[in-house]
Amino acid sequence: MTTTTSHIPEHVPESEGPDGGVAAARPARLIHTESTTEIPVHLLFREEPAASSSAPPAEVKLRPAVVGHRPPPEQAEQPEKSAKSAKSAKDDRDTRDIGLRARPSAPGVDPEIAERPARVLPGIAGVLAGTFGAAGCAVTAWWSGVLPPLAVEALGVSAGTGGLGPAQWASFAGAGALGLFGFGGLARGRTGRAWVLELFGRYRGTVRATGLLWVNPLLLRRRVDVRLRHWRGDPLPAADRGGVALRVAVLVVWRVRDTARATLGVEDHQGYLRACVEAALLRVPVAAPGAGRGAVQATQDALTRLVAADAGPVGVEVCAVRPLRVEYAPEVAAAMHRRRVAALDARHRASVVGSVVDSVEDTVTRLTMRGLLDLDDYERRTLVKDLTVAFCAGRGDTGA
């Protein structure tokens, strides 16, 4: 913070006395602190008339100075800045909350479609309800007198004589409905399987429990396999970094994570997964046949990330996408085969020539250093030529 001082003289001279002499100056000091930026000071001087010429110099009396203190601009603007910052923070928080509320849980899928557990009862409840319903029907039949004679004799009771009246029909309807609901809602839950329940087209929950259960028989059940699954498709079109057409067979490891979205979000989640794999192969350059392990791993990682991002919104979790077989497309297979053969032949010839040159150099050097031959330049060139032809012919005969 910059300290500002007012233009006020440090010494205020006293008034001249009657003898014309100038009295000694008295210092009038003002204290300036860092919190003071501008201090307007008005010093009003008033002289007292001297009684005689021999009187001492008149004392200068100062009226109380009126100091107007004004806060510095930084402090004056601080409350306004604080109010603005608080308002902006509130606006940002409200905007963020609205964005979170408006943002769907998965792009392209209804945010209301999300897996949640369905309400089911233990299977014993259905068994008891069905048993009571069947017993109620039997008692009503005996009461109305429609119980078969063999059943009456087996039970050792006398046949009822109530007849089929409104009460008997109501009892039949209630007991029958209880029995149908009790036995009709029994279901067996298995490990790795789930049911997606719907009531008149509305999602009512997912059942992942195992064992004997009772599910409302009015609900439509859709069985979904939630186990870890492998899918190996036919060769699909792809391309390498150079744009050469390829055919790639991939292995996809996946499973259903959200049964509601996988069943209700798309018509067929397996077909959707296949479409995601095809799209990823067209967008990611695949390592060409014969590429190194690092290139193959990079291709696998890129495919896995892309397919997982595309299939995630529909409740499908993709664990890995592995290229199993990579080959050139039929239209370029012959040309690429000739190219690879030519490259292999060129590498083979280079290795043969290099080994022959090394052998000739070693032979000539050893003969010369041991003193077995004393050759001039012409004889040395002739010997090198003959040895080169001999070594090349020998390697050609052995197939090296």
Side-chain angles (χ1 to χ4, degrees):
M1 181 179 296
T2 306
T3 303
T4 306
T5 58
S6 58
H7 300 283
I8 301 175
E10 293 186 359
H11 303 280
V12 180
E14 295 183 352
S15 60
E16 296 180 357
D19 55 355
V22 180
R26 290 185 58 189
R29 299 188 178 275
L30 298 176
I31 301 176
H32 303 280
T33 60
E34 293 185 355
S35 62
T36 303
T37 56
E38 182 180 354
I39 304 178
V41 180
H42 306 281
L43 299 179
L44 304 178
F45 301 96
R46 183 177 61 186
E47 295 182 357
E48 296 291 341
S52 62
S53 58
S54 60
E59 182 181 357
V60 178
K61 295 184 178 181
L62 301 179
R63 293 182 179 178
V66 180
V67 180
H69 178 73
R70 185 170 62 187
E74 293 82 358
Q75 295 182 2
E77 295 177 358
Q78 184 175 1
E80 184 178 358
K81 290 183 178 180
S82 301
K84 290 183 178 180
S85 61
K87 183 178 180 182
S88 61
K90 183 178 182 301
D91 294 341
D92 295 342
R93 184 167 58 254
D94 296 342
T95 304
R96 184 171 60 253
D97 295 341
I98 294 174
L100 291 176
R101 289 196 299 268
R103 185 183 305 164
S105 56
V109 180
D110 188 356
E112 295 183 358
I113 301 178
E115 181 178 333
R116 62 176 182 270
R119 296 179 180 179
V120 295
L121 298 177
I124 188 63
V127 172
L128 293 177
T131 303
F132 288 147
C137 289
V139 171
T140 304
W142 169 82
W143 177 29
S144 59
V146 296
L147 198 65
L150 294 179
V152 174
E153 293 177 1
L155 295 175
V157 295
S158 59
T161 58
L164 289 175
Q168 287 78 5
W169 283 114
S171 179
F172 264 123
L178 182 61
L180 290 177
F181 265 78
F183 290 124
L186 292 177
R188 183 179 60 175
R190 297 182 179 180
T191 303
R193 303 293 179 89
W195 286 311
V196 176
L197 306 181
E198 293 182 66
L199 180 61
F200 305 118
R202 184 177 181 182
Y203 175 63
R204 304 301 297 177
T206 300
V207 179
R208 288 181 177 262
T210 58
L212 187 62
L213 305 171
W214 184 85
V215 183
N216 188 351
L218 297 179
L219 298 176
L220 177 62
R221 309 174 191 175
R222 293 189 181 185
R223 186 178 294 273
V224 182
D225 192 344
V226 295
R227 295 174 295 181
L228 189 66
R229 303 169 66 182
H230 296 72
W231 173 72
R232 179 175 179 176
D234 299 331
L236 300 174
D240 61 1
R241 294 186 178 277
V244 180
L246 302 174
R247 303 287 291 181
V248 183
V250 297
L251 176 67
V252 183
V253 183
W254 64 284
R255 64 178 174 179
V256 175
R257 172 66 68 180
D258 193 314
T259 56
R261 292 178 181 171
T263 306
L264 307 176
V266 290
E267 183 177 359
D268 181 12
H269 59 272
Q270 298 187 26
Y272 182 82
L273 178 62
R274 177 184 174 86
C276 291
V277 173
E278 293 179 358
L281 287 174
L282 295 178
R283 295 159 61 186
V284 175
V286 181
R293 187 178 183 86
V296 175
Q297 185 65 32
T299 300
Q300 175 180 335
D301 296 341
L303 288 174
T304 302
R305 288 194 301 269
L306 194 57
V307 176
D310 291 341
V314 297
V316 176
E317 179 186 5
V318 178
C319 302
V321 180
R322 302 189 182 98
L324 294 181
R325 187 176 69 254
V326 181
E327 56 188 13
Y328 291 103
E331 59 271 16
V332 299
M336 297 306 299
H337 178 70
R338 291 194 297 269
R339 181 178 177 181
R340 291 186 62 187
V341 170
L344 291 175
D345 185 64
R347 286 199 296 268
H348 175 69
R349 290 176 180 274
S351 63
V352 169
V353 171
S355 61
V356 168
V357 171
D358 292 341
S359 301
V360 171
E361 181 183 6
D362 182 63
T363 301
V364 174
T365 301
R366 293 175 65 183
L367 290 175
T368 304
M369 293 184 65
R370 292 185 179 183
L372 299 177
L373 293 176
D374 187 8
L375 304 174
D376 56 8
D377 294 341
Y378 176 78
E379 292 175 345
R380 184 184 295 274
R381 286 196 297 269
T382 303
L383 179 60
V384 169
K385 178 180 178 181
D386 295 340
L387 290 176
T388 302
V389 172
F391 286 159
C392 288
R395 288 182 177 273
D397 295 339
T398 58

